Amino acid sequence: MKQSVSLQDSLFQKNTVRPLADMLRPTNLEQIVGQDHLLNAGQPLRQMVENNRLFSMVLWGPPGCGKTSLAKLIATAVKADFHPLSAIFSGIQDLKSLFEQARRNRQVGRATILFVDEIHRFNRTQQDSFLPVIEDGTIILIGATTENPSFALNPALLSRLEVFVLKRLEDSVLYQMIDRAETALGKKLPLNDEAKRSLVSLADGDGRYLLNMIEAISSRYKGQHPLTPQNLSSILSRRAPLYDKAQESHYNLISAFHKSLRGSDVDAALYWMARMLDGGEDPRYIARRLIRFATEDIGLADPQALNQGISCLQAYEKLGSPEGELAIAQATIYMAAAPKSNASYMAFKKAMQLARDYGSLMPPISILNAPTSLMQNLGYGANYQYDHDFPDAFSGQNFRPAGLPDQPIYQPTNFGNEQKIQEKLNWLRQRRQDLNNGTK
């Protein structure tokens, strides 16, 4: 007797060839979710499509945000030939062949869209090969990349492309995708509400990854009770966080970390530190950035901050991971809570600028050593006043070269230890003035 085949069974028979993510790929621009800033009425990309006035472009966004689907639907909307190409598996000969085909299309009045996935993988020569065919309109290039085009593409190519930034999919969009998947499957996922939230969190803004996880749950789980977050891990492997130590995410997170420290937000600083560590960042790099922060943004407002930075690096070197990472967390908390001052940093920059602006000014001759008789005869060291011979160990003599403006270089704040330094500097300036005027 022939058995009937359910919708779910037939679906998963097809899925041996065609994944769920491909089956649920949008079929028109209205079905693309999470990119309203590009596709709503009046938005630039939508206008380009509606007016059939496409320019070569690059779609920049994280994995699973819809770059490939969008490129295909743009080609469909403007009735252009669509040729997808992977930069990983293609070379110059593949490009030349496609360029020739595009020229033939152009002779019969048909546009050609060349879609290059992972376009940042092309080397400089391959990227340069696009320049003439973009210039003369042979092709409309749509590149897709997860990397910042400013870093990933040659300036000559980038100058000929419009950059459209696609956003990471928000949680509300991912829940919509779960609903669509359940409709396609003809059944609810075996997840309680908490497990569903955990699934969305695991997707981390990646719609394709979410659908792949849904497919894995539907095909692997045969239990009778809803899955909980705790036993999801028995079915799904944890996804590696989106972090590339050599690319933009590295710079984005260290910038967020540094600015959170500067803004005295302890919790945010700890979060960005944890994100970097979780992404595989070298803890010693974070420790070195803390040392830099201590000198740039805290300075003498709290001189112990520098000791904390150096100590956390030394502690990590001795302990390694994960024990040594606690020392980095401690230094992070200390510096975020410390009083802030960039007075030392600004004084250094000002001193360097004065050194460049005023060239090779000679020090006052009175403070120069005279190791030879000639130098003694020329007056080197004459009338030098040894500060320890004076009350308060302060002579008030001039140490600046002639021609250098008589203005403060280091100007401390009123925060932390620098308040005391400011009081001392005020006393020294007044004392120098009194000594130079002949008063005591």
Side-chain angles (χ1 to χ4, degrees):
M1 178 176 171
K2 187 176 180 180
Q3 291 183 337
S4 62
V5 180
S6 68
L7 174 63
Q8 299 97 291
D9 292 335
S10 61
L11 176 64
F12 281 103
Q13 288 173 1
K14 292 180 181 179
N15 278 350
T16 59
V17 177
R18 192 179 178 200
L20 180 62
D22 189 51
M23 295 182 65
L24 292 180
R25 192 180 293 277
T27 57
N28 56 62
L29 290 176
E30 284 68 26
Q31 290 180 359
I32 290 186
V33 291
Q35 310 302 334
D36 293 347
H37 64 294
L38 298 179
L39 297 174
N40 274 357
Q43 296 303 320
L45 185 54
R46 185 62 178 247
Q47 287 184 326
M48 287 173 60
V49 174
E50 289 177 346
N51 297 330
N52 201 11
R53 292 283 297 169
L54 288 186
F55 299 94
S56 291
M57 67 185 76
V58 58
L59 305 176
W60 172 29
C65 66
K67 298 184 291 295
T68 302
S69 295
L70 179 56
K72 287 182 178 180
L73 294 176
I74 288 173
T76 300
V78 300
K79 297 180 173 59
D81 276 2
F82 182 77
H83 294 276
L85 197 68
S86 170
I88 299 174
F89 301 111
S90 305
I92 287 291
Q93 290 305 316
D94 300 298
L95 294 176
K96 287 182 177 179
S97 175
L98 286 169
F99 295 162
E100 285 302 319
Q101 185 174 347
R103 290 188 180 96
R104 292 193 293 270
N105 284 347
R106 192 181 182 195
Q107 290 174 353
V108 297
R110 187 165 182 83
T112 301
I113 289 180
L114 177 57
F115 173 70
V116 181
D117 196 18
E118 305 287 345
I119 192 171
H120 61 276
R121 302 279 189 177
F122 273 151
N123 61 35
R124 187 179 188 90
T125 300
Q126 291 167 322
Q127 290 187 32
D128 285 345
S129 69
F130 290 111
L131 301 181
V133 290
I134 291 174
E135 285 282 0
D136 65 14
T138 299
I139 66 165
I140 298 169
L141 173 64
I142 301 181
T145 180
T146 56
E147 305 294 344
N148 188 328
S150 301
F151 304 140
L153 300 183
N154 294 344
L157 178 58
L158 185 58
S159 68
R160 291 164 171 81
L161 303 176
E162 289 207 38
V163 178
F164 293 104
V165 182
L166 279 73
K167 296 180 179 179
R168 173 185 183 275
L169 298 185
E170 296 180 354
D171 288 357
S172 58
V173 172
L174 296 177
Y175 280 111
Q176 292 177 34
M177 296 181 69
I178 292 175
D179 292 340
R180 287 185 59 198
E182 289 179 331
T183 299
L185 293 169
K187 62 180 181 180
K188 292 290 185 180
L189 292 173
L191 304 173
N192 62 26
D193 289 343
E194 191 177 355
K196 190 174 287 189
R197 286 193 294 271
S198 182
L199 184 68
V200 168
S201 178
L202 284 170
D204 197 15
D206 185 333
R208 180 173 54 247
Y209 186 66
L210 174 70
L211 294 176
N212 289 343
M213 289 193 293
I214 290 173
E215 192 168 19
I217 293 169
S218 297
S219 62
R220 297 175 191 168
Y221 183 65
K222 305 303 180 182
Q224 300 299 315
H225 301 289
L227 289 166
T228 66
Q230 289 71 32
N231 51 30
L232 261 182
S233 59
S234 64
I235 297 176
L236 304 174
S237 59
R238 182 181 182 274
R239 181 188 184 189
L242 295 177
Y243 187 77
D244 189 332
K245 293 183 284 183
Q247 301 295 338
E248 193 204 9
S249 55
H250 164 83
Y251 299 103
N252 285 347
L253 265 60
I254 197 62
S255 177
F257 178 62
H258 194 119
K259 290 179 174 64
S260 298
L261 289 168
R262 182 182 291 152
S264 300
D265 191 329
V266 174
D267 296 331
L270 284 170
Y271 170 76
W272 296 121
M273 177 209 69
R275 278 280 304 275
M276 287 186 286
L277 290 173
D278 192 47
E281 184 60 77
D282 185 349
R284 286 165 292 206
Y285 171 75
I286 302 174
R288 290 194 296 270
R289 294 300 304 181
L290 285 167
I291 294 172
R292 166 63 191 258
F293 181 84
T295 56
E296 179 180 340
D297 287 279
I298 297 176
L300 292 171
D302 185 351
Q304 287 301 314
L306 181 56
N307 294 335
Q308 285 281 335
I310 295 172
S311 295
C312 84
L313 178 57
Q314 292 174 338
Y316 181 80
E317 293 282 7
K318 290 183 179 297
L319 294 175
S321 292
E323 292 87 350
E325 292 167 3
L326 181 58
I328 297 174
Q330 176 179 311
T332 295
I333 295 168
Y334 187 97
M335 293 191 197
K340 305 299 188 296
S341 171
N342 71 343
S344 296
Y345 174 65
M346 298 304 294
F348 173 71
K349 289 178 63 177
K350 189 172 184 179
M352 291 297 295
Q353 189 62 52
L354 287 170
R356 287 189 289 265
D357 291 346
Y358 287 89
S360 304
L361 298 177
M362 282 292 292
I365 197 169
S366 62
I367 64 172
L368 299 179
N369 290 332
T372 69
S373 57
L374 173 61
M375 297 170 76
Q376 292 173 6
N377 293 335
L378 291 174
Y380 280 53
N383 301 317
Y384 171 64
Q385 303 174 60
Y386 187 59
D387 284 84
H388 293 289
D389 291 339
F390 289 80
D392 303 312
F394 181 69
S395 67
Q397 65 191 307
N398 176 50
F399 296 95
R400 291 170 176 257
L404 188 70
D406 185 12
Q407 60 187 31
I409 295 177
Y410 171 55
Q411 296 178 291
T413 67
N414 291 321
F415 302 122
N417 188 65
E418 280 199 324
Q419 185 173 11
K420 296 179 181 179
I421 296 175
Q422 181 66 74
E423 293 171 359
K424 180 64 179 293
L425 291 180
N426 290 339
W427 181 88
L428 290 169
R429 291 188 183 109
Q430 184 61 51
R431 182 67 174 151
R432 179 175 283 109
Q433 183 178 347
D434 292 343
L435 290 169
N436 290 335
N437 292 336
T439 60
K440 300 294 184 181

